[in-house]
Structure formats: structure tokens, C-alpha cells
Amino acid sequence: MSSAVLRQAAIAARSASRKCAFSTSAVARKDLIQELYIKELKGYKAPPPPKDAHVGVVKNYSLPPAPQAPALPADLAGELSAWDAAEPTFAAASAKPAEGESTGPTGAEQFLAFLEADEPKHDEAHH
């Protein structure tokens, strides 16, 4: 007789667990953590900023000084004639090669000659 009671209890437990496992009510689907979070967000009141919160952050504006008009030289014609009479100087003409330096192609010419040169041929056979 005890086995019959145990069988009926097991069947009742299985049917009850099947009914409770799949609940479709909206109440059971609520996320409690989300609800608490939203409740706290709605209830939050930001503290009012102090009246002197801007001190030290905002600088006082002051107008820049007015620009001065450029002044023309007193003897403009004399300076222009002196400039016209002056000989031009060229930095490249005064530069002379030092001893031991070659006067051959340098810079871009040397680089182009290097690029145009044939590659040396190797006698070794690579396998």
C-alpha cells in the first residue's frame, strides 16, 4: 500500500511542477533589480550647486590692448635708394668646398646615379 501512495504522490508532484514551471503571467516576469534601479533614479534629487561654484573656473574678460599703427621711417627715399644700390649676396656663391671633399655630384644627382647603376652580378647559383 505504501508504494501506491508513493506513486500517487510522485504523480501529483510531477503534475504540480509542470504547471508551475511555465508561468505566463506578467507579474512573474518583472525584473526586481530593474524596478529598484528605476525607483531610485526617479527619487534622486541632485544637490543644488553652491552660489560661488564658478569662482576660480571662470576668468574675468579684459579687452586686448589696441594695436599700434606702423610708423614709416623719416627718410624713406634715402633708404630705398640705399637698398637699390646694394649688391645682392648669394650664400651658394660664397660656399667653397673644403679640402678633401670631392666636387662631384652630390645630393639628388648622386642618388639618381645610384638608382640608375646596374646591380652587381653574383656568380653563386641559388637553389
Side-chain angles (χ1 to χ4, degrees), residues 34-46:
Q34 183 179 6
E35 294 294 324
L36 286 172
Y37 183 71
I38 291 173
K39 176 184 157 192
E40 290 297 321
L41 280 178
K42 288 180 180 177
Y44 178 74
K45 301 285 186 201

Side-chain angles (χ1 to χ4, degrees), residues 68-72:
Q68 298 294 327
L72 292 175

Side-chain angles (χ1 to χ4, degrees), residues 18-74:
R18 287 181 190 151
K19 290 178 186 175
C20 295
F22 297 104
S23 175
T24 58
S25 66
V27 177
R29 291 186 182 176
K30 279 189 178 180
D31 188 2
L32 296 177
I33 308 274
Q34 183 179 6
E35 294 294 324
L36 286 172
Y37 183 71
I38 291 173
K39 176 184 157 192
E40 290 297 321
L41 280 178
K42 288 180 180 177
Y44 178 74
K45 301 285 186 201
K51 292 182 180 180
D52 59 349
H54 67 281
V55 175
V57 177
V58 179
K59 296 180 181 178
N60 292 331
Y61 179 75
S62 60
L63 291 173
Q68 298 294 327
L72 292 175

